[in-house]
Amino acid sequence: MEIKKIKAFGTVSPTASLTEMQIERRSIQPNDIEIEILFCGVCHSDLHTARNDWGGTIYPAVPGHEIVGVVKNVGNKVTKLKAGDLAAVGCLVDSCRTCNSCKQDLEQYCLNGFTGTYNGKDKYLGSQTFGGYSEKIIVDEHFVLKVPSNLDPAAAAPLLCAGITTWSPLRHWKAGKGTKVAVVGLGGLGHMAIKLAKALGAEVTLFSRSPEKKQDAFDLGAHNVIISNDEGQMKAAKGKFDLIIDTVPYVHDVNPYISTLSISGTLVLVGYLGGLEPILNTVPMILGRKALAGSVIGGIAETQEMLDFCGKHNIVSEIEIINMQDINTAYERMLKSDVKYRFVIDMASLKKQETKS
Ligand code: NAP
Ligand code: ZN
Ligand code: ZN
């Protein structure tokens, strides 16, 4: 198989800055679409992976899984898109396609393990997969999404992770008219959760540590805001919510949120991966038939459904566009919650560097 070297931005260790590097991409196979990347969103998972927060990062690591670009070439069996079309790639670039999960369009729960857009196992080259902080990506058409033409391509990029990760639990737990949904944390995922839950017809509340974000939450569509470290406000919300989507990236006490669930309510963790501290008190769960659940991204058909819904309702992310070279500063700002509410890299900045050097 022919291999091409292209430009990317990545890191060689958990403590190194991200810098320009060369990576390899396969040549186009019959079912492949080659995409020139225009924009790539910056997800907190990119930072977790670059810094090996979860363990298991293979270096060099090139993050980026909120990809929007233009189709450059297609393999001879491709029917989904043609050269010149807008295309998107999210967190998955492959799965086994034969297991029970894959057959039900739940590629994100592939029983043989899905191939992540970065830090996955590349079935073609044998190396780790490299993500969207790069000039181009080559992906099997099954894993490529169509972007509604009315959406701004830069602001649509974060839909590919922040959007689908919150859409999937909202749909699974049937958020809609007559349901009360709460979102924990106003960041990339949180702000999309508010917009999507509102558009689905739910009554939406934000839990936040940050009183200064209150007005933004209302502007995004929240009906209520609860400051999570205010005990009085937390007590007043007891027994209220049918569904809570918790986007906090680090270990935190979920007990106070469980008590704000209604009977049979569910708290879905999408942010933090790992053991909970302090200990989870099961008493209110048992006495209230409450559930604690988790959810990871979404399947390909569901991602297209979310993109089409966003097209219909004109929903995109609130973004700050940066150059590729600003990524290290952007990570530090993301850690301080200093972004409204998603960084998106203008990938033309990576090319510009080429013409200079
Ligand atoms: P983000 O933009 O940094 O937002 C996280 C928000 O959580 C912050 O804005 C902040 O909101 C709150 N927060 C941050 N640190 C906190 C702390 N120590 N304690 C309490 N609250 C805190 O991150 P993101 O991109 O939305 O990602 C959120 C998490 O989801 C990450 O861990 C990411 O890896 C994960 N993720 C999971 C999936 C999945 O499929 N399950 C997909 C994508 C991302 P307030 O200031 O309002 O409190
Ligand atoms: Zn992500
Ligand atoms: Zn599978």
Side-chain angles (χ1 to χ4, degrees):
M1 181 180 300
E2 204 193 318
I3 287 166
K4 279 190 194 153
K5 286 211 185 261
I6 62 151
K7 256 174 141 191
F9 231 76
T11 179
V12 292
S13 88
T15 50
S17 295
L18 277 76
T19 52
E20 195 188 313
M21 56 176 62
Q22 299 255 308
I23 55 163
E24 292 181 343
R25 295 278 189 218
R26 67 175 180 265
S27 55
I28 296 189
Q29 304 303 297
N31 293 302
D32 281 346
I33 297 183
E34 180 184 36
I35 300 164
E36 182 188 322
I37 301 173
L38 300 176
F39 297 102
C40 186
V42 179
C43 178
H44 209 109
S45 303
D46 298 357
L47 185 155
H48 287 311
T49 301
R51 299 189 177 176
N52 200 23
D53 287 348
W54 297 324
T57 300
I58 308 160
Y59 293 95
V62 173
H65 58 202
E66 294 182 337
I67 299 167
V68 169
V70 63
V71 175
K72 280 283 138 192
N73 284 299
V74 298
N76 57 21
K77 288 194 179 152
V78 168
T79 55
K80 202 184 238 180
L81 289 165
K82 57 178 190 324
D85 287 344
L86 260 194
V89 178
C91 309
L92 305 167
V93 289
D94 213 340
S95 70
C96 84
R97 304 194 221 174
T98 55
C99 75
N100 232 350
S101 298
C102 286
K103 278 194 210 145
Q104 296 176 71
D105 291 330
L106 295 168
E107 299 92 341
Q108 77 276 32
Y109 301 113
C110 174
L111 299 174
N112 296 302
F114 68 78
T115 305
T117 303
Y118 55 78
N119 205 46
K121 173 120 176 100
D122 190 318
K123 287 181 195 165
Y124 300 82
L125 302 179
S127 61
Q128 67 273 41
T129 51
F130 297 112
Y133 299 2
S134 59
E135 292 176 283
K136 280 182 200 172
I137 192 160
I138 293 173
V139 180
D140 184 294
E141 68 169 333
H142 179 77
F143 294 87
V144 177
L145 288 309
K146 296 180 188 176
V147 184
S149 58
N150 60 315
L151 299 182
D152 172 57
L159 299 177
L160 276 301
C161 177
I164 184 58
T165 301
T166 50
W167 174 260
S168 187
L170 286 169
R171 296 287 284 163
H172 182 75
W173 278 276
K174 303 191 168 42
K177 279 206 170 60
T179 59
K180 290 190 170 71
V181 172
V183 175
V184 188
L186 186 56
L189 267 55
H191 92 291
M192 287 314 310
I194 292 176
K195 287 191 182 204
L196 294 170
K198 169 82 185 284
L200 284 166
E203 185 187 304
V204 190
T205 298
L206 171 72
F207 285 110
S208 176
R209 314 162 294 173
S210 316
E212 69 280 3
K213 292 184 184 172
K214 207 168 174 172
Q215 190 52 49
D216 284 356
F218 289 130
D219 295 345
L220 290 162
H223 301 89
N224 305 296
V225 175
I226 295 171
I227 302 307
S228 51
N229 41 28
D230 180 323
E231 254 180 62
Q233 290 189 32
M234 291 299 282
K235 271 204 181 127
K238 195 165 183 247
K240 197 166 172 194
F241 303 111
D242 304 304
L243 176 64
I244 300 177
I245 305 213
D246 182 337
T247 75
V248 174
Y250 298 99
V251 69
H252 59 290
D253 189 0
V254 300
N255 293 298
Y257 299 108
I258 298 275
S259 72
T260 70
L261 284 173
S262 61
I263 303 300
S264 308
T266 303
L267 186 152
V268 185
L269 290 164
V270 293
Y272 171 66
L273 278 176
L276 285 174
E277 283 167 36
I279 257 171
L280 179 68
N281 181 5
T282 64
V283 174
M285 297 174 70
I286 289 174
L287 297 184
R289 197 165 63 184
K290 298 175 183 183
L292 181 63
S295 181
V296 74
I297 47 174
I300 296 301
E302 195 178 33
T303 305
Q304 192 61 60
E305 175 198 68
M306 177 273 309
L307 286 168
D308 295 345
F309 178 89
C310 288
K312 199 168 153 208
H313 295 265
N314 249 308
I315 295 173
V316 284
S317 180
E318 303 301 309
I319 61 165
E320 177 178 337
I321 295 190
I322 58 167
N323 288 332
M324 188 69 259
Q325 296 75 14
D326 301 329
I327 190 67
N328 296 298
T329 318
Y331 278 5
E332 292 311 314
R333 286 185 51 198
M334 182 160 61
L335 280 172
K336 289 189 227 142
S337 270
D338 174 25
V339 50
K340 293 187 169 192
Y341 277 91
R342 199 60 142 186
F343 290 114
V344 171
I345 307 159
D346 177 356
M347 294 311 302
S349 56
L350 185 59
K351 283 218 189 87
K352 270 182 209 145
Q353 192 157 307
E354 185 176 43
T355 44
K356 270 187 220 153
S357 57

